[in-house]
Amino acid sequence: DAGVTQSPTHLIKTRGQQVTLRCSPKSGHDTVSWYQQALGQGPQFIFQYYEEEERQRGNFPDRFSGHQFPNYSSELNVNALLLGDSALYLCASSSARGAETQYFGPGTRLLVL
Amino acid sequence: EDQVTQSPEALRLQEGESSSLNCSYTVSGLRGLFWYRQDPGKGPEFLFTLYSAGEEKEKERLKATLTKKESFLHITAPKPEDSATYLCAVQAAGNKLTFGGGTRVLVKP
């Protein structure tokens, strides 16, 4: 049973560029959440997608946007990258019908130069 | 606003030296409290979910407990492979997880 997968594993961008990160949820899960984790800190909630719609959003600017596809996979897009966007981006999946325990993928390490 | 504070920030233990990690939380309407383990450069690995005060869960050398204001993760007779960052998170209204800053545990042989 494949767990949550994310791509790419690492990414280097320059300020002002745009980036797209991808996530495939665990089999049987229909809800995807995205988190940003700066070095040495706990993850911060960005937003959550269910039924192809943004269900909840954290305190992140509109530069952060997302999408969920009919197969439940998801993308996180960040526009106009800033140095402060350098972080580990984590995707978590859960089932809306279950206990809603969120299972995390390995993350994408983004470095903005 | 939901808040989670973990202490200590770092913990150095000798192999076999038991200890406890603390997670204090302020939340309106707790739906669940979660413990995760995170190895460097990897995603958090799910350990436990606790739903109500008085609940306890165990897995190998780890035991998690919950009160109305805090949760403890007890590590009994730790081994070097227990070295990791342990994250606590709460889920309240909505579905987002609010995390604490984590406790970095180093177990020396």
Side-chain angles (χ1 to χ4, degrees):
Chain A
D1 175 26
V4 179
T5 60
Q6 293 186 242
S7 63
T9 55
H10 295 83
L11 207 50
I12 299 175
K13 293 286 187 178
T14 56
R15 281 179 297 174
Q17 286 189 312
Q18 178 263 345
V19 68
T20 297
L21 311 181
R22 295 176 175 83
C23 171
S24 291
K26 187 177 167 68
S27 177
H29 285 181
D30 54 11
T31 303
V32 174
S33 304
W34 286 92
Y35 294 81
Q36 180 195 67
Q37 186 176 27
L39 204 59
Q41 297 182 21
Q44 298 277 322
F45 176 75
I46 303 175
F47 42 54
Q48 184 180 82
Y49 278 83
Y50 171 66
E51 292 188 337
E52 301 180 50
E53 301 226 344
E54 184 181 289
R55 183 158 74 166
Q56 193 175 10
R57 189 179 183 94
N59 295 325
F60 279 80
D62 292 345
R63 299 187 296 109
F64 290 77
S65 63
H67 189 77
Q68 186 179 34
F69 299 93
N71 67 353
Y72 307 121
S73 67
S74 177
E75 288 182 351
L76 164 66
N77 301 291
V78 187
N79 294 321
L81 284 167
L82 304 174
L83 296 180
D85 294 332
S86 296
L88 181 67
Y89 288 85
L90 296 163
C91 168
S93 75
S94 56
S95 170
R97 294 178 297 279
E100 299 212 42
T101 294
Q102 296 185 17
Y103 294 87
F104 285 82
T108 294
R109 172 70 65 186
L110 173 65
L111 177 61
V112 182
L113 301 176
Chain B
E1 185 176 327
D2 303 337
Q3 286 193 320
V4 179
T5 303
Q6 292 189 244
S7 61
E9 291 185 2
L11 193 58
R12 294 167 67 97
L13 301 171
Q14 286 296 130
E15 185 172 1
E17 178 188 2
S18 301
S19 189
S20 294
L21 284 55
N22 178 265
C23 171
S24 297
Y25 63 89
T26 305
V27 65
S28 297
L30 180 72
R31 293 178 61 195
L33 184 139
F34 300 80
W35 282 98
Y36 290 86
R37 168 196 170 122
Q38 185 173 30
D39 293 309
K42 297 189 177 181
E45 174 189 344
F46 171 71
L47 293 174
F48 305 108
T49 308
L50 302 167
Y51 294 103
S52 57
E55 190 174 359
E56 299 182 352
K57 288 194 176 172
E58 285 188 70
K59 179 180 178 180
E60 296 180 357
R61 295 176 292 282
L62 302 177
K63 179 180 176 180
T65 62
L66 181 64
T67 73
K68 288 187 178 180
K69 293 184 178 180
E70 56 192 350
S71 177
F72 292 93
L73 183 66
H74 308 278
I75 309 178
T76 301
K79 298 182 178 181
E81 53 261 43
D82 295 321
S83 297
T85 294
Y86 292 86
L87 296 166
C88 169
V90 296
Q91 186 177 60
N95 300 286
K96 72 172 186 177
L97 294 178
T98 300
F99 282 86
T103 294
R104 296 186 308 277
V105 175
L106 176 62
V107 182
K108 301 182 74 175

